[in-house]
Amino acid sequence: MTSAPLAPPVPAREAAAPALGRRPPARRRRERPTGLRISRIVSRVLIAAVLVMQVYPFLWLLQTSLRDREDFAAANPFSIPTQLTLDNFSRAFEQGHLLRSILNSLIITGGACLLLVVCGMAGAYAIAVLGFRFSGLVRGLFLLGIVVPVQVALVPLFIDYSRIGMLDTHLSVMIPLAGFALPMALYLFLSFYSYIPRELYEAATLDGAGPYRIFARITLPMSWNTVVTVVMVNAIFIWNDFVFANTFILSEELKTIPLGLQDYVGAMGNTDWTATFAAVSITVTPLLLVFLVLNRAMIYGLESGASKG
Amino acid sequence: MLPHRSRLSVLVFLAPPLLLFGGGVLLPIVQSLVLSFFEWDGITGLDFVGLENYRALLLHDDVFRTAFGNQLVYLVICLLLQVGGGLLVATLLMTITRGREVLKVLYLMPAVISTPAIALLFQRIYSFEPEGLVNTLLGAVGLDALARPWLSDVSTVLTAVSVPEGWRFLGLYTVILYAALLSVPRELEEAASLDGANAWQVFARIRFPHIMPVFVTTLIMATTYALRGFDIPFLLTNGGPGQASELVTTYMYKTAFTSGHYGSASAISVIIVLECLVAVGLILLVLRRKAD
């Protein structure tokens, strides 16, 4: 099931198309094309409507960020701007700390993804390849993490961090982000490791390789595709995290992009919408571009995550 | 199982994930559970109160009760948009031949945007003065009478804060359910339609039963995500006006970080966990039984 979505499924949909017609084909042969056409038109209109719903808000955001401030205040929000300006972007950079928050987001996302990949890989290797007596129990323990909502960790972690002086650090946000993403990552690695043939390990063992060498020479080099999938799926959620950063980060200097955006409204009041939308565009665009280029890995991860879960 | 593994090597590989998961997830869960039996303002000593926090919340706290009801409405709207909408759109995608891969990617776009950005966007979409997208659209089709400040009207605010969350992940569930629909054997569908089954029958008798396991998973995902939904309502209205859009999660956040009642907040977070477990149990119980 997981490999199906990767191969673009184009083959003759025409053959199954009569199934979509309203009537049994045998009896009313002549009406079939009409019913078919109507249901096709309806489904295409619906598909287009959903497309507009999902994409238009983003296009609107972009065009607003390019629009003159006065023009935006006066005009119908649906109208196309008469002239474009980059003014909003310079104001967005002046009044906020965009670059600083981008840097903070990069540090936290990079650190959390590294933690996640290292721990996911090591855990899956211990469970699936090395094996030990209570591996089933450990597996179940991690499964728990998929269902548990993140809110339950907020208060205790806040208290623990303030006790050991870790509040308001990059690491304080990385740990829960990686921790809550770990179960899913672990399962992706586990399912991939179950495909590596045992003979490979047996041969390596006969050649005298121990568990560390086998990990470094066989398992790790074969894992890169799964690493990309795990990073793609989680990087977006970690990059966009609001609740942990909002709770554990207190100082201005450490604010991530989602927090920085929230401040924009406060700092400028609700009047400077075009500059705010320029800031939103700046923070959203790089992520969207990465997504548009690398979406296969992400979509694959989402699909296989769901069918394994 | 590798023949030459040592106990030490298992420990070396198992220690980092257990430390991360233990410190970041398991320990806090246990601490929440313990803390929920105490009263604590974060400064003075802990006061053991037993089940008092739970009793007060469930029996005497009107805000909690409102928040609970609101969270259920939020859940229903999210499920309708995400699982219902996702299934519909995935089925529609099956009817076209070209552009499905591109559409999948474009549908997923909102899932990439951070919640504060979405909140800013929707604040403007819902706004009344200056006229936002929704009100302009209503005016354009002659329904001016329905125009209103969606986020400050008590009767619409809960729906208004729920819709963005549903909208955001519609594409995600579409992609997952679409992958499942693709795995339905084509021969079964063809045989059914040759036997005179209409589109609805093919869907209800063949496709849907076949994708049931994935459907159950998406239902569980969407339900648990909706029960912990927090960001967008918190950012858009912070529960207001009054308690009209207060969710259990936003109430928990306020109880902890605004009022400083850590014990009571922990009790709420334990209740959120229980809600999720009960919901998952119910889904499995009802749908598994149906599948048998």
Side-chain angles (χ1 to χ4, degrees):
Chain A
M1 179 182 298
T2 50
S3 65
L6 280 183
V10 225
R13 203 58 212 157
E14 303 303 318
L20 301 160
R22 282 292 138 124
R23 300 169 183 84
R27 258 186 304 145
R28 302 187 191 167
R29 200 157 264 211
R30 287 176 65 200
E31 282 173 59
R32 205 171 83 206
T34 329
L36 193 64
R37 207 177 304 145
I38 290 172
S39 76
R40 280 205 159 182
I41 291 170
V42 169
S43 77
R44 269 167 211 200
V45 167
L46 282 174
I47 286 173
V50 176
L51 182 67
V52 170
M53 229 171 66
Q54 298 300 97
V55 179
Y56 183 75
F58 182 70
L59 294 180
W60 182 68
L61 177 81
L62 274 186
Q63 63 113 336
T64 304
S65 70
L66 291 169
R67 188 171 236 186
D68 187 67
R69 206 190 324 192
E70 282 75 34
D71 178 35
F72 175 71
N76 177 331
F78 280 106
S79 65
I80 312 269
T82 43
Q83 64 190 69
L84 301 177
T85 167
L86 288 176
D87 236 29
N88 305 314
F89 287 87
S90 57
R91 261 183 296 137
F93 271 105
E94 265 168 43
Q95 298 179 44
H97 298 276
L98 274 180
L99 291 177
R100 195 175 66 193
S101 25
I102 288 175
L103 186 69
N104 282 324
S105 281
L106 279 176
I107 294 173
I108 287 177
T109 308
C113 283
L114 188 72
L115 260 178
L116 179 64
V117 166
V118 168
C119 289
M121 233 189 313
Y125 183 72
I127 292 172
V129 181
L130 297 179
F132 51 95
R133 202 184 300 159
F134 298 109
S135 58
L137 190 75
V138 173
R139 228 182 245 248
L141 205 62
F142 280 108
L143 189 66
L144 192 73
I146 295 183
V147 199
V148 172
V150 295
Q151 279 88 3
V152 75
L154 290 178
V155 171
L157 279 180
F158 185 82
I159 295 166
D160 295 343
Y161 284 150
S162 54
R163 277 218 184 117
I164 58 173
M166 242 178 76
L167 206 60
D168 206 18
T169 58
H170 288 131
L171 193 62
S172 66
V173 185
M174 284 181 215
I175 290 176
L177 279 174
F180 275 94
L182 184 60
M184 202 57 122
L186 190 85
Y187 278 89
L188 279 174
F189 279 113
L190 275 176
S191 66
F192 171 68
Y193 287 171
S194 65
Y195 288 114
I196 299 180
R198 305 240 53 115
E199 292 77 26
L200 220 55
Y201 293 125
E202 279 156 24
T205 312
L206 284 179
D207 289 342
Y212 306 106
R213 182 177 289 226
I214 289 179
F215 179 75
R217 293 288 167 80
I218 298 177
T219 314
L220 184 64
M222 292 178 85
S223 306
W224 291 121
N225 276 335
T226 314
V227 171
V228 171
T229 304
V230 167
V231 169
M232 270 312 295
V233 174
N234 290 291
I236 289 180
F237 290 105
I238 294 173
W239 179 272
N240 285 337
D241 160 71
F242 170 73
V243 68
F244 286 125
N246 191 50
T247 313
F248 301 141
I249 285 187
L250 311 170
S251 56
E252 285 294 322
E253 291 74 39
L254 292 180
K255 284 198 166 160
T256 57
I257 287 176
L259 294 188
L261 278 187
Q262 198 200 8
D263 275 5
Y264 252 87
V265 183
M268 298 184 199
N270 284 359
T271 42
D272 201 351
W273 278 103
T274 49
T276 309
F277 279 166
V280 173
S281 303
I282 294 168
T283 60
V284 162
T285 311
L287 201 62
L288 267 183
L289 289 180
V290 172
F291 168 70
L292 289 178
V293 174
L294 290 176
N295 61 74
R296 281 240 162 138
M298 185 189 167
I299 289 176
Y300 172 68
L302 292 173
E303 286 166 351
S304 51
S307 54
K308 299 267 158 43
Chain B
M1 220 181 256
L2 279 185
H4 289 294
R5 74 203 157 80
S6 60
R7 202 168 269 185
L8 180 70
S9 67
V10 172
L11 210 64
V12 166
F13 284 103
L14 205 56
L18 278 184
L19 267 179
L20 176 67
F21 194 65
V25 181
L26 291 181
L27 182 69
I29 293 175
V30 175
Q31 282 179 306
S32 266
L33 197 60
V34 173
L35 211 54
S36 71
F37 299 120
F38 289 85
E39 199 172 307
W40 193 41
D41 56 7
I43 306 155
T44 52
L46 287 160
D47 252 344
F48 183 77
V49 292
L51 289 170
E52 177 57 32
N53 283 330
Y54 293 96
R55 212 177 63 85
L57 281 172
L58 297 174
L59 299 179
H60 303 295
D61 194 333
D62 289 338
V63 182
F64 179 78
R65 224 170 294 162
T66 311
F68 188 80
N70 287 348
Q71 191 99 37
L72 290 183
V73 174
Y74 181 84
L75 171 71
V76 169
I77 293 176
C78 285
L79 285 184
L80 277 180
L81 283 173
Q82 295 176 343
V83 182
L87 192 60
L88 179 72
V89 178
T91 311
L92 289 175
L93 277 182
M94 298 291 288
T95 66
I96 58 170
T97 45
R98 266 174 302 167
R100 298 198 270 193
E101 297 300 307
V102 177
L103 280 173
K104 250 163 64 172
V105 173
L106 292 176
Y107 285 166
L108 258 180
M109 264 173 60
V112 184
I113 304 174
S114 69
T115 46
I118 288 178
L120 281 172
L121 190 63
F122 273 87
Q123 214 171 320
R124 198 61 187 74
I125 286 175
Y126 286 133
S127 81
F128 185 66
E129 187 62 54
E131 203 173 47
L133 287 182
V134 175
N135 289 327
T136 309
L137 204 61
L138 285 175
V141 293
L143 291 169
D144 304 65
L146 288 176
R148 65 187 75 206
W150 299 90
L151 289 174
S152 38
D153 188 319
V154 180
S155 61
T156 56
V157 65
L158 184 57
T159 313
V161 299
S162 311
V163 167
E165 180 71 21
W167 166 78
R168 181 157 91 101
F169 286 130
L170 168 64
L172 177 73
Y173 295 100
T174 301
V175 165
I176 294 171
L177 290 166
Y178 172 72
L181 283 176
L182 278 183
S183 74
V184 180
R186 198 64 40 88
E187 307 81 59
L188 278 181
E189 293 172 14
E190 278 162 29
S193 53
L194 280 179
D195 286 346
N198 61 32
W200 168 249
Q201 286 168 326
V202 170
F203 176 81
R205 302 271 173 80
I206 310 237
R207 281 185 178 169
F208 192 68
H210 198 89
I211 65 164
M212 197 58 167
V214 178
F215 183 76
V216 170
T217 313
T218 51
L219 204 57
I220 289 175
M221 275 170 74
T223 306
T224 53
Y225 279 127
L227 286 177
R228 61 181 100 159
F230 169 78
D231 294 14
I232 292 173
F234 177 76
L235 289 164
L236 273 180
T237 59
N238 196 11
Q243 272 94 37
S245 62
E246 191 83 86
L247 302 184
V248 179
T249 47
T250 54
Y251 185 50
M252 185 229 111
Y253 203 83
K254 283 183 198 166
T255 308
F257 300 109
T258 310
S259 326
H261 297 304
Y262 291 110
S264 181
S266 297
I268 301 179
S269 70
V270 171
I271 293 176
I272 298 173
V273 175
L274 291 179
E275 279 173 19
C276 288
L277 293 178
V278 168
V280 171
L282 277 179
I283 292 170
L284 290 179
L285 199 73
V286 173
L287 292 182
R288 281 269 163 84
R289 182 168 293 173
K290 222 174 175 183
D292 287 342

